[in-house]
Amino acid sequence: MTTRQVCDRWFTTQQVEEGLYLITEPHYYWYNRANLWLIKGQDRDLLLDTGLGVASLRQHIAELIDKPLLAIASHIHFDHAGGIYEFEERAIHTAEAQALRDGDAHEALCTQPGWIDIDHFELLPHSGFTVEQYKFHAAEPTQILQAGDVLDLGDRALEVLHLPGHSVGCIALYDHRSRSLFAGDVIYDGELLDELHCSDIPAYCQTYERLQKLPVEMVYPGHYQQFGTEKYQQILGEYLDRRRQPGCPREVHSEHNS
């Protein structure tokens, strides 16, 4: 059995541009390592996604927070919503609000084989950490998100887009002025997971048909690197071409093992 050391710091923070920070968990498996986006506004701040919840994200970002903060889960999966219980103000789409209230480990993927694995931790978040003790914490949403909601930060506004497919409650945040999309797991430049028990390929196709018509200049995704218009349209087109092929499944109930 490999003995893993405890890390000095679990999170890293990179300033992407004025008022926008990318936070990651660099000692966790790259394949499932989420991007957490801190968007600072004039009147309030937003945190889109909160990581695994194995170390205190709230404490890590404390020096960056000087106004009210709303933590948002782009969807219920543990790598995105695991730390949301730490925050006083927290939001999720209505379709997955009950799962967050219940701390539903099944919907968060924590009970699925292969997702919570000690080999995915290059270093440990704290002394004595084991995957057996990992828990997806229940948290009462203080705000229920619906499609079309506008989150006003004072000097910028972000519209909530409900974009199911990866899971039933997946959302993205869209800035009409800059044409920026904070995409969660709806779209990223990597293997798109659409065969989870909570996934729906026809819904994913409908989502991507909608997104093809949305003017986007920059995507800030839930995994991997950010990208622009050309890559955005390429990913959308390639997925639709693949999933529209004759014989492709119309409904999916299988589970994905990473």
Side-chain angles (χ1 to χ4, degrees):
M1 180 178 177
T2 302
T3 301
R4 289 172 174 79
Q5 296 181 333
V6 176
C7 67
D8 293 328
R9 177 173 294 188
W10 182 249
F11 300 99
T12 60
T13 300
Q14 171 193 350
Q15 184 170 3
V16 177
E17 58 188 54
E18 184 68 27
L20 179 61
Y21 295 84
L22 169 61
I23 303 161
T24 58
E25 299 174 281
H27 308 301
Y28 183 63
Y29 184 35
W30 66 269
Y31 178 84
N32 213 39
R33 183 189 307 152
N35 294 331
L36 322 177
W37 299 100
L38 176 61
I39 308 165
K40 294 187 63 62
Q42 178 178 293
D43 299 331
R44 66 190 300 208
D45 298 334
L46 293 181
L47 176 64
L48 182 63
D49 291 332
T50 56
L52 302 171
V54 297
S56 179
L57 177 59
R58 182 176 178 177
Q59 181 178 345
H60 175 76
I61 65 173
E63 62 185 26
L64 293 173
I65 303 304
D66 55 1
K67 58 183 71 73
L69 173 72
L70 176 64
I72 300 173
S74 66
H75 60 300
I76 194 65
H77 293 163
F78 72 98
D79 50 323
H80 296 265
I84 199 168
Y85 73 95
E86 276 200 293
F87 297 90
E88 293 179 3
E89 299 296 323
R90 45 191 177 260
I92 193 168
H93 187 266
T94 184
E96 293 177 344
Q98 193 60 48
L100 183 58
R101 287 190 191 98
D102 294 342
D104 191 329
H106 179 67
E107 292 307 311
L109 299 184
C110 301
T111 61
Q112 313 301 305
W115 283 116
I116 310 293
D117 191 321
I118 191 60
D119 289 337
H120 294 171
F121 293 82
E122 178 184 335
L123 297 175
L124 300 182
H126 57 80
S127 179
F129 174 82
T130 66
V131 296
E132 289 77 18
Q133 73 177 202
Y134 181 81
K135 177 178 173 60
F136 184 78
H137 293 271
E140 179 66 32
T142 60
Q143 185 170 344
I144 304 298
L145 301 177
Q146 306 272 5
D149 287 350
V150 175
L151 305 172
D152 186 358
L153 307 188
D155 55 348
R156 70 187 302 179
L158 296 159
E159 181 184 353
V160 175
L161 305 181
H162 180 214
L163 300 169
H166 175 70
S167 77
V168 67
C170 271
I171 63 162
L173 303 180
Y174 181 63
D175 186 328
H176 287 264
R177 186 173 63 184
S178 65
R179 296 184 172 182
S180 299
L181 185 70
F182 293 88
D185 275 6
V186 174
I187 181 170
Y188 50 80
D189 188 13
E191 180 188 0
L192 297 169
L193 302 184
D194 62 1
E195 296 185 357
L196 303 164
H197 78 276
C198 52
S199 301
D200 184 326
I201 290 174
Y204 222 147
C205 288
Q206 291 176 0
T207 282
Y208 271 27
E209 287 166 354
R210 285 180 58 198
L211 289 178
Q212 283 184 318
K213 302 171 185 176
L214 185 72
V216 170
E217 294 185 9
M218 183 59 65
V219 177
Y220 300 101
H223 294 278
Y224 315 125
Q225 299 297 314
Q226 64 198 62
F227 51 89
T229 304
E230 184 176 353
K231 174 60 71 172
Y232 170 74
Q233 290 294 345
Q234 178 187 341
I235 294 170
L236 296 174
E238 288 179 353
Y239 179 83
L240 288 171
D241 287 346
R242 177 165 59 90
R243 284 310 194 191
R244 284 169 174 163
Q245 290 176 358
C248 78
R250 302 308 298 168
E251 292 189 21
V252 174
H253 301 285
S254 64
E255 295 176 355
H256 174 89
N257 294 334
S258 62

